[in-house]
Each structure stands twice: as C-alpha cells, then as structure tokens.
Amino acid sequence: MTPSQPHSGRAHRTGPGPRVSTEFTYRGIDAAVLENEALRVLVLTGKGGDLVEFRDKRTDVDVLWRAPHEWTAPEKRYVPTEPTSTWNEHYPGGWQVNLPVAGDGMDIDGSAYGLHGESALLPWDPTVVRDDDDAVTLRLTVDLVRYPFAVERDLTLPAGDSRLEVSESVTNQGGVPLEYVWQQHVTVGAPLLSGSARLDLPDATGINPVYGDGFPNGRLAGDETFEWPHAPAADGGTVDLREVPPREATIHDQSYFVDLAEGWYAVTNPDLDLGFALRFPLDPFECLWYWQAFGGYHESPWFNRNYNAGLEPTTAYPGGNLPEAQRENGTMKVLDPGETVTAEFTAVTYGGREAVSGVSADGTVS
C-alpha cells in the first residue's frame, strides 16, 4: 500500500487518538485507512467501498479473507451483465456491500444484472465527516447505474476500541417501486479460520438449497431444513456447524439461516485468543447466508484454492432463481419512490473467549 496523490475527502491527524486518511492506494486502487490503538481498517474507496483489512492490533491478525486469484479492479465505471464470472474476477475477498441483488443475476426492465449486482463494482466517493479525539468517520456514497438507488455508508472508528460502527442507507430516487436484495458480503479467513475455530449463532432455522450438481464436495444434504447447529449430512448423519473444518477438508457447502432469535454471529479461535463478531439488524436483514468454502469450491476462479467462511447478513434468500424464489418465500423487499431504508452494524474483534452466547448492539461480546 502506497500513498496516492491528495484528493477530495481526505483528512488526517498527527496527535493521539483515532486517525483517518484517504491518501492511499492499494494495488493501484484509491483507498482509505481508519486506525486507532486497537484496530486498523483498509477500505477500497475506488472499488465498491470494500473492506479488505480488519486487523486486530493486539494479535496483529487480519480476520478477513483475501482471495487467492489475480483479481483486478474494474477499469471504468461500468456494470457488466455476464452471469457469473465478472463479479468474481474483481473480488478481493473481505467485506462488500451487494445491491440491488445478491446471488444470481436478475433481469430488470430494459436491462439485466449478473452475479451480486453492481454496488461492489463501482467507485464510491469518500468524505471524512468526523475527525476528533473521540472518533473518526468516513462517509462513502455512490449512485448505482442501472437502478436509481443512492447508497450512503458511514464507517466510524471510536478511540481505543476494536470496534467499527457502520451505518448505511439506500434511497430509491426513481419514480416506481423497485425490488431489491441488500447484502453484507463478509468473508473471514485464516489464521482466524482454522480447525480450532468455532462459529456461534443465536437460535435459528437452517435451510440447505437443492444442491444438484453444483456441490460435488458438499458434506451437507441438500433440500433440507434444520435447527441450528445440527445440519443433516449427505451421508445420512448430522454435522455440527459450530465446528470449522480444517483447510485440507476439501468441502464446499451453502446454507441459509432464517428466524434468527437475534442478529449476530461470532467466529472464535481460542488458539489465537481472538474472535470476530458482527451485530446486524434483523429488519431488514432477516437472513444470514453461510458460504462454506473449506478448500472444496471446484469452479472458476477458485479451483479448490479458497479456505474461507462467508457469513453474510442479507435481506432475502436463497441466492438462486431471482426474483421468483424470493417472491415466493416472502423475503424479497420493495423500496417505494423516494423511500429510504437504513441499517446499522457493529463489527468487533475480541479475546478471552472460547464460545460466544451473545453480541450486544454496542459490540459487547458475552
């Protein structure tokens, strides 16, 4: 990461306390850094507002996953239509906002989307809106191309804490009601993720989609509904989803969790004395997608190279057959003309835990 030429929206501090700067590039992409005594966050302002580093300073561990393939940023402000590969070709790992769809593409009036929509393929405009001894806030904004949605995202890092506060809003600037799926595409990886790690969720109902031929390395049974954490296995047994398979497991599964008692999850690795937790609102993020890519995702561009857990709060499920399947199960959302929908999230790292029973709105892990 190297400094770039100064541009609008930058701010920096030289004294104690949290700091924020937009004077960086990462792999040639405009970037911003938020940092305090406990946490360092790297944001690709020039590509999707992606969070590609969430580094716990106590352990010097970045909890996010970084993709193994030679991804690139889109060269221009554009939205491709190719069904699956384009989003992946520009995917660095980490944490994306996906709008106005997540999962398979969707036809819209006069146009179409490929995988995961367009918000993660566009540059976002950064502005530092707070910079004092108590906290720093970076505001990111973008207007989508094919949908008349305006998106605003505030990232706030308070002094001293390993906690990032995220506030987002989406506004329909068009003149007709529009369906949408909104997703926080968060992926964690090694060294946080290992055979020693544990995943905790509140009480929830799990749903495995019809797998078909797409999951030759799946350990779970497809077309099944179950109660967390015990999922039906393909061999007729059960799998405890709190346990994380090791890197060499060659497993790839997908599950969706609904009817969550609360909106949170936590990944804890006692060997590192480190965990990562995310608190999210169940309205409108009523679903949690669990992408289980434990060395067995055989398709391009992965070819069994990626070891990661995608834990993705999403407003609808499943990820296929958009929009018919989401309409049928009642999870597809609609934003009326001029309407704004908002959501707040808290992401934290923590130590001193072997298992987690709750994550409060302020990020307290119990």
Side-chain angles (χ1 to χ4, degrees):
M1 186 172 63
T2 58
S4 68
Q5 294 300 314
H7 54 280
S8 62
R10 67 184 177 91
H12 39 192
R13 296 173 52 79
T14 57
R19 298 176 298 280
V20 58
S21 176
T22 59
E23 293 187 55
F24 291 92
T25 60
Y26 178 77
R27 295 179 60 147
I29 306 166
D30 286 345
V33 172
L34 298 90
E35 189 169 15
N36 64 11
E37 302 94 321
L39 194 64
R40 174 186 169 88
V41 179
L42 173 63
V43 186
L44 300 185
T45 58
K47 188 268 166 197
D50 298 357
L51 274 62
V52 293
E53 182 180 12
F54 198 94
R55 185 172 299 275
D56 176 82
K57 288 190 174 182
R58 179 180 59 87
T59 59
D60 194 28
V61 169
D62 178 12
V63 302
L64 297 178
W65 175 65
R66 298 198 180 191
H69 64 293
E70 289 300 316
W71 63 274
T72 61
E75 294 182 0
K76 299 178 180 178
R77 180 182 168 88
Y78 79 107
V79 184
T81 304
E82 198 284 326
T84 57
S85 64
T86 303
W87 193 91
N88 284 331
E89 288 168 358
H90 302 301
Y91 173 45
W95 179 350
Q96 289 72 37
V97 176
N98 287 333
L99 276 163
V101 298
D104 290 351
M106 184 176 79
D107 290 334
I108 56 178
D109 290 342
S111 190
Y113 281 115
L115 178 72
H116 288 332
E118 62 171 294
S119 56
L121 297 171
L122 298 173
W124 292 50
D125 294 323
T127 306
V128 175
V129 296
R130 181 176 180 181
D131 182 12
D132 57 48
D133 291 340
D134 295 323
V136 293
T137 300
L138 177 70
R139 176 166 296 164
L140 301 169
T141 58
V142 68
D143 290 336
L144 303 189
V145 174
R146 294 186 182 158
Y147 245 47
F149 277 9
V151 190
E152 183 175 284
R153 191 183 205 202
D154 282 0
L155 306 176
T156 298
L157 185 65
D161 294 337
S162 59
R163 178 180 87 247
L164 183 71
E165 300 167 357
V166 182
S167 177
E168 291 184 18
S169 67
V170 182
T171 301
N172 180 1
Q173 296 181 320
V176 298
L178 290 168
E179 294 178 316
Y180 70 94
V181 182
W182 184 8
Q183 181 180 76
Q184 306 296 315
H185 193 278
V186 185
T187 52
V188 298
L192 175 69
L193 201 68
S194 77
S196 300
R198 170 190 173 103
L199 171 64
D200 284 303
L201 301 182
D203 291 340
T205 298
I207 299 171
N208 294 337
V210 177
Y211 275 5
D213 297 328
F215 291 82
N217 295 320
R219 58 178 173 158
L220 303 181
D223 197 17
E224 293 283 354
T225 300
F226 59 94
E227 296 305 310
W228 168 266
H230 299 294
D235 63 6
T238 59
V239 174
D240 187 341
L241 291 181
R242 291 172 296 190
E243 299 174 359
V244 175
R247 178 183 288 273
E248 61 272 14
T250 317
I251 286 170
H252 179 222
D253 284 296
Q254 176 72 55
S255 301
Y256 304 98
F257 290 96
V258 298
D259 300 326
L260 289 95
E262 296 180 276
W264 62 267
Y265 64 77
V267 179
T268 309
N269 191 325
D271 289 354
L272 299 178
D273 186 28
L274 177 65
F276 171 78
L278 182 70
R279 174 83 182 199
F280 57 93
L282 293 177
D283 182 12
F285 289 84
E286 61 178 284
C287 314
L288 179 67
W289 297 17
Y290 182 22
W291 175 31
Q292 303 154 62
F294 302 124
Y297 197 170
H298 69 293
E299 293 183 349
S300 174
W302 316 117
F303 300 111
N304 285 11
R305 292 181 294 174
N306 53 326
Y307 179 68
N308 65 271
L311 292 155
E312 306 158 10
T314 310
T315 58
Y317 83 98
N321 193 26
L322 266 69
E324 286 77 12
Q326 296 73 23
R327 291 172 179 164
E328 183 177 346
N329 66 28
T331 59
M332 178 63 77
K333 308 295 188 294
V334 175
L335 204 58
D336 289 328
E339 184 182 3
T340 298
V341 61
T342 63
E344 295 184 352
F345 310 85
T346 304
V348 298
T349 59
Y350 57 90
R353 300 283 187 270
E354 294 188 357
V356 172
S357 59
V359 180
S360 68
D362 67 0
T364 301
V365 176
S366 56

